[in-house]
Amino acid sequence: RKQGAVGRLVFNNPERRNAVSLEMWQAVVQALEDFGADPAIRVVVLAGAGDKAFVSGADISQFEKARSSQEAVQRYEEIAEGAQARLQAFDKPTVAMIRGYCLGAGMNIANACDLRVASEDARFGIPAAKMGLGYRASSMKSLVDVVGAPRAKEMMLTARQLTAAEAREAGLVHHVVAFPELESFVKDLCETLAANAPLTMRTAK
């Protein structure tokens, strides 16, 4: 949805803690195309529906069907990879507003954003090693770019969840605020970004 100069993209699958389905990956690209083409939109905020999660990972309940053959796996990866790449290359500032779980694919999405603001109850991690799943090479590169190779290796090997304070120390988030202040903090941040010169910010990105 659009609120003045702010485009809001909400991952809305609360019964699965906003796990990202194939259709949601596709919708990310559509929403970003819309926001990108609208000159009134100066900044985009990504958030999760409800208060339990930003994004808790990919919707693995789809894997048996959506990844049932080599061709299906390739199609799924192309769609998910394309959405992540579109977000990473988006030429307007993006802000991840993180409440609750930010795991796996949620980390991919957050790391593709320019700025990340978390509430104190947020939890971060990549559970791939506990689930016997692979982790996309481009997502690994993003993680290394954000936290550095030693910390990325520790996160991947232990699959441990980090608190919001640990995530800030690691460089995963820029700001940690109390939950009641999260919306107002992000609103103020968006007002700052919307008032800045768009071409300068695009060049910085």
Side-chain angles (χ1 to χ4, degrees):
R1 61 183 182 269
K2 298 177 182 180
Q3 298 174 323
V6 180
R8 292 181 69 93
L9 195 163
V10 180
F11 294 92
N12 186 20
N13 188 8
E15 64 275 10
R16 294 189 177 276
R17 293 182 173 174
N18 301 325
V20 183
S21 67
L22 191 62
E23 295 77 17
M24 289 166 76
W25 282 125
Q26 293 170 315
V28 166
V29 175
Q30 294 166 2
L32 291 176
E33 292 293 339
D34 183 22
F35 293 149
D38 187 343
I41 297 299
R42 305 289 291 269
V43 57
V44 173
V45 174
L46 289 81
D51 59 3
K52 301 296 184 186
F54 173 68
V55 170
S56 63
D59 189 347
I60 61 174
S61 69
Q62 290 191 324
F63 279 15
E64 185 174 354
K65 180 179 179 182
R67 301 170 67 95
S68 59
S69 67
Q70 183 174 342
E71 293 77 15
V73 168
Q74 182 175 348
R75 177 176 179 271
Y76 183 100
E77 286 300 310
E78 286 174 353
I79 291 171
E81 178 84 15
Q84 183 177 317
R86 184 70 184 90
L87 178 58
Q88 194 111 37
F90 193 64
D91 62 5
K92 298 178 182 183
T94 53
V95 179
M97 185 173 73
I98 302 166
R99 171 94 203 267
Y101 292 106
C102 180
L103 306 175
M107 290 276 297
N108 302 353
I109 293 164
N111 285 341
C113 293
D114 300 311
L115 300 174
R116 293 170 291 279
V117 181
S119 62
E120 292 172 336
D121 67 343
R123 294 293 181 270
F124 300 81
I126 301 169
K130 290 185 176 180
M131 304 174 72
L133 297 174
Y135 199 62
R136 195 172 296 117
S138 60
S139 301
M140 180 68 82
K141 182 185 184 305
S142 293
L143 180 65
V144 170
D145 288 346
V146 170
V147 302
R151 177 79 74 166
K153 191 176 292 186
E154 179 187 26
M155 291 179 67
M156 292 300 300
L157 296 181
T158 66
R160 185 176 71 83
Q161 290 185 17
L162 278 63
T163 66
E166 290 174 317
R168 184 179 181 187
E169 180 189 359
L172 282 168
V173 296
H174 298 85
H175 303 281
V176 176
V177 299
F179 171 64
E181 301 169 10
L182 183 61
E183 282 280 356
S184 62
F185 187 97
V186 171
K187 180 176 181 291
D188 289 345
L189 178 59
C190 288
E191 289 176 355
T192 297
L193 295 171
N196 286 343
L199 294 181
T200 303
M201 291 191 295
R202 184 194 305 175
T203 303
K205 281 168 64 78

